[in-house]
């Protein structure tokens, strides 16, 4: 039996603008994860079991566009395998689907690692990242690659599309509360809608993306120099620009407001938006209070997590 795990992720700053070439900051979230187990099987074919999404099927019976099928077939292709072995692949996940926490990328990373190791040819991080990026294109259409990168390397990343991976140093650890609206919202749609806005008025949206770039640079400096309370107002500014981009939602705005009125220093949506998750920066002593306020305002779940060097 071979197993592999991959964490979830949150984007601290810069989502959506990152698709348009600006930088973004993201960190792994290890409280949620995908766990994959692979065993040889006496039954012919590749049997997939993903109880969380009620999937029990043989690989070749799934649609060709199915994300799990694509991930597995890409691993075979990259290893140059022609005949598929008989395997049982079990995928368990505590990352909510389509919620901005990177569930699709985490499945791709964990399956790719477990499968390539099980077959005796463990792929490098670079190869895993490249294959997970291919899978992301199925979910997102035109992904930046930030989700698969932060999840593959499981490190804080300062990410610019098509550029070598850069990590960043956390000068002094800080705490965020993640609140889940419980609404699943496909990233493909929000990314597509932002692209339409940009196509209709490039000058306006290039200016907005540049404002986000400034926020990301200021946030990186604040994190690296240990001055994390400065991130609060930067989160508020980034959220306001995401609202302008039409990727917030009444539920996200309600959670952001609830976090702010219960003591958070700043708050914003995180990831694709329109649902999914938001994040709030807190003093440690306020974390439980903010998490409770998020639940009272309708959050289906909340996670308190410390951002620190890994
Ligand atoms: C999704 O986690 C982040 C987006 O910026 C899309 C992407 O970067 O691929 C919305």
């Amino acid at each position: 039996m071979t197993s592999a795990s991959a964490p979830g992720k949150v984007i601290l700053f810069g989502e959506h603008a990152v698709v348009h070439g600006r930088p973004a900051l993201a960190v792994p979230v290890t409280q949620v994860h995908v766990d994959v187990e692979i065993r040889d099987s006496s039954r012919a074919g590749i049997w997939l079991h993903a109880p969380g999404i009620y999937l029990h099927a043989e690989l070749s019976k799934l649609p060709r566009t199915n994300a799990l099928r694509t991930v597995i077939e890409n691993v075979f292709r990259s290893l140059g395998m022609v005949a598929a072995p008989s395997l049982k692949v079990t995928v368990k996940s505590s990352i909510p689907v389509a919620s901005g926490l990177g569930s699709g990328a985490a499945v791709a990373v964990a399956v790719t690692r477990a499968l390539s190791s099980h077959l005796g040819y463990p792929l490098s991080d670079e190869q895993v990242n490249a294959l997970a990026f291919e899978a992301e294109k199925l979910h997102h259409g035109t992904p930046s690659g930030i989700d698969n990168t932060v999840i593959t390397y499981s490190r804080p990343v300062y990410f610019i599309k098509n550029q070598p991976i850069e990590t960043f140093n956390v000068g002094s650890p800080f705490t965020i509360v993640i609140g889940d609206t419980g609404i699943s919202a496909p990233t493909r749609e929000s990314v597509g809608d932002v692209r339409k806005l940009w196509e209709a008025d490039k000058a306006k949206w290039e200016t907005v993306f540049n404002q986000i770039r400034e926020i990301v640079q200021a946030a990186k400096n604040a994190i690296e120099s240990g001055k994390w309370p400065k991130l609060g107002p930067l989160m508020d500014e980034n959220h306001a620009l995401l609202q302008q981009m039409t990727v917030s939602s009444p539920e996200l705005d309600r959670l952001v407001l609830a976090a702010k009125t219960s003591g958070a220093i700043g708050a914003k949506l995180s990831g694709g938006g329109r649902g999914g998750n938001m994040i709030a920066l807190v003093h440690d002593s306020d974390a439980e209070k903010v998490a409770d306020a998020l639940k009272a305002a309708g959050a289906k779940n909340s996670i308190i997590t410390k951002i620190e060097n890994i």
Side-chain angles (χ1 to χ4, degrees):
M1 196 263 286
T2 314
S3 57
S5 295
K9 68 95 202 4
V10 282
I11 296 190
L12 296 177
F13 292 94
E15 53 276 271
H16 286 289
V18 69
V19 175
H20 298 265
R22 277 32 170 220
L25 299 174
V27 290
V29 176
T30 50
Q31 283 98 330
V32 286
H33 37 89
V34 170
D35 302 297
V36 174
E37 273 183 17
I38 302 193
R39 295 168 192 273
D40 291 328
S41 166
S42 49
R43 200 146 67 136
I46 297 176
W47 287 87
L48 297 169
H49 300 277
I53 52 167
Y54 308 103
L55 175 74
H56 300 280
E58 205 283 312
L59 186 80
S60 61
K61 303 285 181 299
L62 291 172
R64 286 199 179 279
T65 50
N66 176 277
L68 256 179
R69 178 171 175 172
T70 309
V71 170
I72 291 173
E73 289 182 342
N74 283 350
V75 173
F76 289 149
R77 192 168 313 117
S78 79
L79 296 179
M81 290 186 60
V82 275
S86 296
L87 299 172
K88 180 178 175 194
V89 179
T90 306
V91 181
K92 293 190 178 149
S93 176
S94 55
I95 310 178
V97 174
S99 71
L101 295 184
S103 90
V107 168
V109 167
V111 168
T112 302
R113 282 216 172 103
L115 185 58
S116 63
S117 298
H118 192 81
L119 297 171
Y121 301 98
L123 295 171
S124 67
D125 284 348
E126 207 182 338
Q127 290 167 311
V128 170
N129 196 26
L131 288 179
F133 184 51
E134 290 308 309
E136 282 290 275
K137 288 184 191 161
L138 270 183
H139 292 290
H140 289 196
T142 55
S144 63
I146 190 169
D147 289 14
N148 47 281
T149 301
V150 65
I151 288 169
T152 298
Y153 292 90
S154 202
R155 307 270 316 260
V157 292
Y158 170 78
F159 182 88
I160 304 177
K161 195 166 83 173
N162 300 329
Q163 298 219 359
I165 294 144
E166 242 184 86
T167 181
F168 60 89
N169 187 46
V170 181
S172 167
F174 58 94
T175 301
I176 59 170
V177 184
I178 305 171
D180 187 355
T181 61
I183 297 168
S184 60
T187 306
R188 176 188 278 275
E189 280 171 27
S190 60
V191 166
D193 288 350
V194 172
R195 183 171 299 281
K196 280 184 206 144
L197 288 175
W198 174 76
E199 273 162 2
D201 189 346
K202 290 193 181 152
K204 172 180 173 181
W205 294 104
E206 286 292 323
T207 307
V208 170
F209 297 153
N210 286 342
Q211 285 171 287
I212 293 178
R213 177 175 59 203
E214 298 311 311
I215 291 171
V216 171
Q217 297 301 358
K220 181 169 179 274
N221 291 342
I223 293 172
E224 294 195 314
S225 58
K227 298 189 176 136
W228 59 262
K230 286 190 176 178
L231 299 177
L234 294 170
M235 282 188 180
D236 297 343
E237 271 178 58
N238 197 163
H239 185 70
L241 294 171
L242 289 161
Q243 283 174 319
Q244 275 190 43
M245 280 186 214
T246 74
V247 296
S248 193
S249 70
E251 296 81 7
L252 281 165
D253 288 344
R254 189 164 60 235
L255 295 190
V256 164
L257 186 66
K260 293 291 304 268
T261 48
S262 60
I265 311 164
K268 64 180 277 293
L269 73 85
S270 176
R274 301 264 170 86
N277 280 272
M278 49 72 67
I279 56 174
L281 178 72
V282 294
H283 291 287
D284 279 349
S285 52
D286 290 331
E288 294 289 351
K289 193 172 55 163
V290 171
D292 289 346
L294 289 176
K295 291 251 176 72
K300 297 291 172 290
N301 189 26
S302 66
I303 299 170
I304 299 172
T305 187
K306 214 167 196 77
I307 310 299
E308 53 200 341
N309 288 323
I310 294 178

